[in-house]
Amino acid sequence: MEKFDVIVVGAGPSGNAAAYTLAKGGLKVLQLERGESPGTKNVQGAILYADALERIIPDFRDSAPLERHVAEQRMWLLDENQSCTGATYRDARFSQEPYNRYTILRARFDRWFSEKVKAAGALVICETTVKELLRGDQGEVIGVRTERAEGDILADCVILADGANALLGERARLRPKVRADDMALAVKEVLFLPKETIEARFNIAGTQGVVIEIAGNITHGMVGTGFLYTNKDSVSVGIGCMLSDMKKQSLTPYQLLEGLKQHPSVKPLIEGAEMKEYSAHLIPEGGYKALPQLYGDGWMVVGDSAGFVNAVHREGSNLAMTSGRFAAETLIELQQAGKPFTSGNLAAYKARLDGSFVMADLKKYEEVPALLHDNPHILGTYPRVLGDAARAILTVDGQPKRDKQKQVLAELKGKRSLLGLLGDAYKFWRAFR
Amino acid sequence: MNAPVEFIPPRINVEEKLFQDRYRVDVGRPHIQVRDPQACKHCAKPCAVCCPAGCWSVTEQGGIDLVVDGCLECGTCRLVCDHDNVDWNYPRGGFGILFKFG
Ligand SMILES: Cc1cc2nc3c(=O)[nH]c(=O)nc-3n(C[C@H](O)[C@H](O)[C@H](O)COP(=O)(O)OP(=O)(O)OC[C@H]3O[C@@H](n4cnc5c(N)ncnc54)[C@H](O)[C@@H]3O)c2cc1C
Ligand code: SF4
Ligand code: SF4
């Protein structure tokens, strides 16, 4: 039976970063992907953060399929009274090369990344679902079982880059089952429009793009957010909510998405577009407290499979690529030192994560999932009050502004006691400081 | 100030959405199965609400009907089932949803 130094399961950003780095480092790598080609199973908003990829492929801008660079970010609070309160951040420096953030379409991006992995020397086999991990006498991971005939393959280390469902780790009892409490389900549509129409509607030119993060009553009290990103000749629109909330109510994911698309602030932006794909995917949003064991004898877990997502900043692919690179660098270093891939030695992977933005950011927001989970009114009440306040102040109707302010305050206090308000403010400050 | 506008859930035909998607269906080999259909009878059926592809529907007899052809392979049904009643696997390699854009 053929044996590899490392088997990487999955060809998303985390698996590709790992396989690429390992192959460049001279290890014998096999990467297995269940999709017909890499990317055909994967969904993202999607914003790509240049920094994480640059550390792996410095000249990625020359060949990667990038849609637009992010020239402007908007943050919107939509309420059920059909108002939108928001902030816009446009910075001319965002449009100076090298750009920092790009919109991408994952099916195209993953395929590109995979070509780089192959060119670096890894063996990439698609259309192959890994069924389970193979174990040695001491319980160490020694390879994988695929669904193919004679499909057992051995390796000194298996990197689990299999994404949010994390089935392989669960079935091998390396981790508990992922929980509905720690998962968001996002649905998304790619809506095509002529390039000129997008540029006119979003006030952009050339490769400039706009990304809009959306919160408020579009989630009907559930913890969740929406997004609208511009691509070259399409717009990606999506919405995601925590599964623990979604299972307790009666609106389907596609009804939520339709509600977002029909909101008067969104509708004119996508008017007349042709929908060419509808997709859905889970996002692990449990944060630091939901992280599983990250390594053991003969295995490591990277990316979404480990739960490396910073939900507050909607970052995932960059944590995926960084953790994949760290796992690979750990193995390269051990191999060069002639050390086996035991749990004790693989602890160096965790040390790398601990010393980086991956763990620092996850730790920083460790209270946020619980905060939002325990205070669902935060997402419903405040957008509505903000919207009502702005409407009252901005409507010119002969009423003195003083009266209006009083009215706004009374409204707010009616929804939330002063103590509750202070409590929310304090909790927010603690969770985000 | 002003009363909240009532939200009327839009009627959406999810099949029309799925019609835009590409699949390679593994005929006769559903990758998701209900373990014990009896258990579904006494369940609030969150799978039917949460599935983004409308694969799960409540039957007239109060049971559940599952057709996986339009499945987007998200994994939601497995996680929202409190009775551990969803036997969930990825389709065989190369089969199932084929995202063009993702
Ligand atoms: C709607 C949405 C919007 C998002 N927006 C952003 C964003 O704007 N910016 C950002 O940085 N992140 C975003 N994220 C998060 C980001 O998509 C993920 O963090 C990232 O894709 C994780 O990469 P990964 O390689 O770990 O997992 P994945 O990309 O899920 O890749 C896992 C791979 O493993 C394969 N696989 C799984 N099981 C097996 C098996 N048993 N055998 C063989 N192959 C297998 C899958 O087919 C897949 O190719 C978003 C996510 C969603 C769902
Ligand atoms: S949630 Fe589980 S038990 Fe309930 S109807 Fe769905 S599959 Fe059956
Ligand atoms: S995996 Fe997702 S799309 Fe498929 S049946 Fe389950 S909930 Fe529906």
Side-chain angles (χ1 to χ4, degrees), chain B residues 39-40 43 45-47 56 64 81 83 85-86:
Chain B
C40 297
C43 172
K45 302 181 180 64
C47 52
W56 301 76
I64 202 92
C81 177
H83 307 278
N85 204 17
V86 182

Side-chain angles (χ1 to χ4, degrees), chain B residues 6-50:
Chain B
E6 196 195 345
F7 179 76
I8 302 153
R11 286 166 67 98
I12 303 292
N13 183 353
V14 71
E15 267 135 54
E16 267 171 37
K17 290 185 188 291
L18 299 173
F19 189 69
Q20 301 300 324
D21 292 354
R22 272 174 59 210
Y23 295 91
R24 195 161 136 215
V25 177
D26 202 356
V27 183
R29 292 176 76 149
H31 58 286
I32 308 173
Q33 278 170 314
V34 177
R35 291 203 171 96
D36 172 14
Q38 286 305 313
C40 297
K41 292 205 162 157
H42 315 283
C43 172
K45 302 181 180 64
C47 52
V49 173
C50 299

